[in-house]
Amino acid sequence: MTDALLPAAPQPLEKEGHCYFRKGCNPLAQTGRSKLQNQRAALNQKILKAMRMRTGAENLLKAATNQKVREQVRLELSFLNSDLQMLKEELEGLNISVGVYQNTEEAFTIPLIPLGLKETKDVDFSVALKDFILEHYSEDSYLYENEIADLMDLRQACRTPSRNEAGVELLMSYFLQLGFVESRFFPPTRQMGILFTWYDSLTGVPVSQQNLLLEKASILFNIGALYTQIGTRCNRQTEAGLESTVDAFQRAAGVLNYLKETFTHTPSYDMSPAMLSVLVKMMLAQAQESTFEKVCLPGLQNEFFLLVKVAQEAAKVGEVYRQLHAAMNQEPVKENIPYSWASLACVKAHHYEALAHYFTATLLIDHQLKPGEDEDHQEKCLSQLYSHMPEGLTPLGTLKNVHQRQLLGKSHLCRAVTHHEESMREASLCKKLRNIEVLQEVLSAARQRSQLKYSQLREDDDLLNLTDAPDIVSKTEREVEIILPQFSKVTVTDFFQKLGPLSVFSANKRWTAPRSIHFTAEEGDLGFTLRGNSPVQVHFLDPYCSAAEAGTKEGDYIVSIQDVDCKWLTLSEVMKMLKSFGQNDIEMKVVSLLDATSSMHSKCATYSVGMQKTYSMICLGVDVDDKTDKTKKVSKKLSFLSWGTNKNRQKSASTLCLPSVGVAVPPVKKKLSSPFSLLNTDSSLY
């Protein structure tokens, strides 16, 4: 079925911010695919409930000492396990509902296997991100309510992507946005308290973590799954449709392979390295199958060289499906891969091997070498068709001897019929495959064609004269390859760019709260120079200038001037703004890094993100006399962040208080003469 929109003008759906859906998302689309996803979501909830009940029963069984109670619990546990198994089988049935995803055109082709999208629960970013903006960036978190709402809207839209390139772009844009969010709000040493829950696409088992990597990995899986659904939706009766199918499955394989190599410790089994390896093989096998269909699309003429090519192409498809089936039957994948998928891989392996033998038999039986034909070329093609010729036969002798050709051709027909029967037997053993009518029709028609050709040539002494037909060498003119995800083609703007350049204002760096500096330029001299770009840093500070006396330090970042945000301004723009005030008072806000190693640029080098770290000016600001006091016992001071947390322990996490900027600091003892010694770097918030 196709994605059918409810009655609405198509253009408004592209708009954002006017109560319309995001581009690439349509949650109101009533399609077979969306209904299938709704059924999957409902099954996930039932599986979760059954697992909780089973866990409770197992705990009760461990704790109970009464024998009668233990017997009742065992009986109840057996029922729960049975129910859970039935739910998982029902979910497997949804995973093999390939007819829902196929193109609506009447097609006499074997269905392809798509992946279902992973389901998730709602996530509220607002409280955690607001708290972090207030604590870490010392900014009014309510100024970022729209940005947080945009992030949550984008995530919600990704739960119902449209089955086209716009849907893929939507998922990719969220994945890239998560990269910004991770750098802004998720420090490596602290949990943010945001719980992400995703359901296993194959088993329905939920996985919950506070790690953003689970969110990123699940979105990547859904990008790959969406590519498979796009591939199965293409019209495989046209050359363009088959080309799109091949491209979609190659891209799906690329995304899943990227997921396997990038996120190596995902807790969800459908994203484990072993399962992803099998899924990548399955995508490439289906791409190779579509390549074979493209070769056969114009119609197969009964011509020698064309039949050699088609036979080897079919053998290639049979080979990749045979390898896929072997991979699906390896532990631990065997226990969690849908049985119907493994059965279909086996069916296709036998089916395409049968086709390879059928086309080989046709070229041997129907084509006799005639005078004037390219004898050397035919001999070369026939020799390359086999890894070795049957005993007693040579390529040229077989081509010239009609009797030998017919005997070898009938041997291939016997092997073709055997493989066809085996494919139908495998399909009949799986309940899900028995219900796919088009699959049964294709397999039956292929077997009848081989049986009919053999019956026309069959003789009574065939059982005595026929030898085993050799295997056909697999070969393809187009080896399908993995296409890596091209995230660079998707343009994404950081929702939280107002916080400042990400290279400086990120979650893994800490600063003081913004300090207000009131100073004047004496005779046009600011008393310091600036360095860097976006944001700029105070450099070469005259210790006797008014800015230094007001509290400015070398290495400080200028974040605003006269309430004008300067975090994104260049050096020349900031200098121009400062000089424009002349002899008037200037109000400037600066922040200082609290890290052990400052990012202040080396005086002998230009600004570079990957430059060598230098000691912070904060360390240099401590009096020399303080070194003699290190052995003295100093009462541990609470950081201003810890102070805010403790004072408001009973309040909501979104109402943490910070001391106001500019409040006079009370005098402290000499051993704490540096103002930064009040900032405890061991704060639990970090």
Side-chain angles (χ1 to χ4, degrees), residues 53 62 69 87 122 151 204 246 293 358 369 374 392 394 410 429 439 451 463 482 560 562 567 582 624 641 664 684 686:
M53 294 179 67
K62 293 178 182 179
V69 173
L87 290 172
D122 292 335
L151 177 64
V246 174
E293 291 178 352
Y358 172 79
L369 186 62
D374 192 344
T394 62
K410 285 193 288 185
L429 293 177
L439 174 63
Q451 286 179 333
L463 293 177
I482 288 173
S560 69
Q562 300 293 115
K567 291 192 288 288
V624 179
L641 293 180
S684 61
Y686 294 92

Side-chain angles (χ1 to χ4, degrees), residues 656-672:
L656 295 178
C657 298
L658 295 175
S660 301
V661 176
V663 176
V665 180
V668 293
K669 296 181 180 180
K670 185 176 181 180
K671 64 178 67 178
L672 297 175

Side-chain angles (χ1 to χ4, degrees), residues 81-211:
N81 285 327
S82 177
D83 291 342
L84 188 59
Q85 184 62 32
M86 292 178 63
L87 290 172
K88 290 185 176 181
E89 290 179 359
E90 191 175 349
L91 182 61
E92 179 185 342
L94 296 182
N95 288 329
I96 197 59
S97 298
V98 293
V100 174
Y101 295 95
Q102 308 301 313
N103 187 269
T104 54
E105 300 291 334
E106 292 294 332
F108 195 67
T109 54
I110 298 180
L112 301 174
I113 300 176
L115 296 177
L117 300 179
K118 289 174 69 70
E119 294 289 338
T120 182
K121 288 185 177 181
D122 292 335
V123 172
D124 186 2
F125 288 98
S126 58
V127 173
L129 296 193
K130 283 182 179 180
D131 287 349
F132 197 81
I133 290 172
L134 179 62
E135 299 168 9
H136 190 78
Y137 295 99
S138 301
E139 293 198 27
D140 188 352
S141 58
Y142 291 99
L143 297 177
Y144 293 87
E145 286 185 341
N146 291 336
E147 287 77 5
I148 296 174
D150 287 340
L151 177 64
M152 295 175 64
D153 288 344
L154 179 58
R155 185 184 192 275
Q156 186 65 24
C158 288
R159 299 178 67 177
T160 54
S162 56
R163 192 167 33 157
N164 50 34
E165 286 298 328
V168 172
E169 185 175 341
L170 175 69
L171 293 177
M172 283 189 173
S173 64
Y174 180 58
F175 177 78
L176 295 176
Q177 192 66 237
L178 287 176
F180 291 120
V181 172
E182 183 178 23
S183 299
R184 295 281 191 193
F185 303 107
F186 286 80
T189 58
R190 171 185 173 184
Q191 295 289 349
M192 285 296 294
I194 302 176
L195 188 65
F196 301 98
T197 300
W198 287 85
Y199 293 90
D200 193 296
S201 177
L202 303 179
T203 64
V205 176
V207 174
S208 299
Q209 280 193 350
Q210 294 187 27
N211 196 335

